[in-house]
Amino acid sequence: MLFRSSVFDPACAYDFKLEKTKDESVLLKKKEVKTAIANGTEISCSVKLTNTDRTFGTLLGAEITRQHPEGLPEDTITIHCEGAGGQSFGAFLPKGLTLSLCGDSNDYFGKGLSGGKLAVFAQEKAKFKPEENIIIGNVALYGATSGEAYIAGVAGERFCVRNSGATAVVEGVGEHGCEYMTGGHVVVLGPTGKNFAAGMSGGIAYVLDTENILYRNINKAMISIEQVENKYDRQELRNLIEAHVKATGSELGKKILDNFSYYLPHFKKLIPDEYKRMLTLSA
């Protein structure tokens, strides 16, 4: 029996064609973007995307991190995107980089978010209600450590799995939301799928439960369900919804803010039992 040689053949090396990505071919080619990264000066630009533009923003974020390991001031570089974000849109974004997407996005949106800011919202001409339709795919914000994300629409399954520090506002989630979450804050302005908060050991989730059916979908093994009664919790919730409206123009968010005293009693605060105990002891 003959075996092929184990010697590496350079001709067989996989070419990722990074030079053809929008980050390399558009963003990092712009002189003003290079200057903004080097000097930390504010800049914004626009880009059209299709769903084949995978990991958009990640290479730009990597260049920011190379020059500024601690990131840049918030919203230093803002990229206004239009179209369909491909898989892993905005993955690993560092502080100072903001991506605003008018359209929708695929799976792994904001994977490993590391201080940056993301916003996604439907086009004005859309003939559907964003709060009733999925606008980003599955496993969004997987492993996020810090930063912010605002989604004016529904997310797919496993939203914020293993989130350890990011803040997110979304208008509904599929099954297994906030699974294994260890930190951060999540606001859900709509329904959740089954097994919400399974293995959640840290962080806080606020969920709007107007139909009073949230208890059916929660994994109750490790968490407590409370009303949002503490004044600090009420203010935090309101602040997060205001930030959501500012970033996305969410009509649902505006409606809730305009009638906040009505909606507030319908919000549930979910907090892991041991995490709550730790906060109490450290207060």
Side-chain angles (χ1 to χ4, degrees):
M1 182 180 292
L2 297 177
F3 294 92
R4 295 187 62 183
S5 171
S6 60
V7 177
F8 174 68
D9 182 357
C12 295
Y14 191 86
D15 184 0
F16 290 96
K17 302 186 186 303
L18 296 181
E19 71 281 357
K20 294 184 178 181
T21 64
K22 290 284 174 62
D23 287 56
E24 291 281 4
S25 65
V26 178
L27 299 179
L28 290 169
K29 291 287 187 183
K30 293 178 178 288
K31 182 179 179 180
E32 57 268 34
V33 172
K34 293 180 179 179
T35 302
I37 295 173
N39 301 332
T41 51
E42 290 190 8
I43 185 178
S44 65
C45 59
S46 300
V47 177
K48 290 187 179 295
L49 299 178
T50 68
N51 62 6
T52 57
D53 292 315
R54 302 174 66 181
T55 63
F56 179 81
T58 301
L59 293 176
L60 174 59
E63 185 59 34
I64 292 173
T65 302
R66 270 190 286 270
Q67 298 189 41
H68 305 276
E70 301 300 320
L72 291 168
E74 185 176 349
D75 298 327
T76 297
I77 299 175
T78 300
I79 311 297
H80 299 286
C81 310
E82 184 177 358
Q87 193 171 29
S88 298
F89 175 89
F92 307 108
L93 291 192
K95 182 182 177 183
L97 178 55
T98 297
L99 301 185
S100 175
L101 173 62
C102 178
D104 52 44
S105 191
N106 213 316
D107 295 349
Y108 286 100
F109 172 92
K111 175 176 65 179
L113 186 67
S114 302
K117 186 186 296 183
L118 292 168
V120 59
F121 48 91
Q123 298 174 332
E124 289 187 7
K125 64 182 180 181
K127 297 182 179 180
F128 59 85
K129 292 183 177 181
E131 67 269 23
E132 297 178 0
N133 289 270
I134 293 176
I135 199 169
I136 60 172
N138 299 325
V139 207
L141 299 170
Y142 175 83
T145 61
S146 57
E148 304 169 38
Y150 304 101
I151 300 99
V154 180
E157 296 183 359
R158 290 193 156 85
F159 181 80
C160 271
V161 170
R162 296 195 182 279
N163 173 30
S164 62
T167 296
V169 183
V170 65
E171 298 180 356
V173 297
E175 296 183 355
H176 314 293
C178 296
E179 188 178 35
Y180 304 124
M181 188 165 132
T182 61
H185 292 77
V186 172
V187 177
V188 183
L189 303 178
T192 72
K194 296 178 181 178
N195 206 35
F196 189 85
M200 180 179 171
S201 60
I204 295 172
Y206 300 102
V207 181
L208 181 60
D209 184 26
T210 55
E211 302 297 323
N212 201 33
I213 58 174
L214 178 63
Y215 71 95
R216 300 178 187 173
N217 293 332
I218 292 176
N219 187 310
K220 306 174 183 67
M222 299 174 64
I223 64 166
S224 296
I225 307 172
E226 305 175 353
Q227 295 295 321
V228 185
E229 297 175 334
N230 182 289
K231 65 178 182 179
Y232 300 106
D233 289 339
R234 293 199 302 267
Q235 190 59 55
E236 177 182 54
L237 175 60
R238 187 179 185 96
N239 289 346
L240 289 173
I241 299 173
E242 287 176 348
H244 176 63
V245 171
K246 180 180 179 181
T248 68
S250 167
E251 292 298 325
L252 176 60
K254 293 176 185 177
K255 179 181 177 181
I256 293 171
L257 290 174
D258 289 342
N259 301 277
F260 195 67
S261 60
Y262 167 77
Y263 283 102
L264 183 61
H266 294 287
F267 275 97
K268 302 294 194 308
K269 176 184 176 181
L270 308 183
I271 183 169
D273 297 320
E274 290 301 314
Y275 183 70
K276 179 181 178 180
R277 181 171 175 269
M278 180 192 71
L279 292 178
T280 302
L281 291 173
S282 61

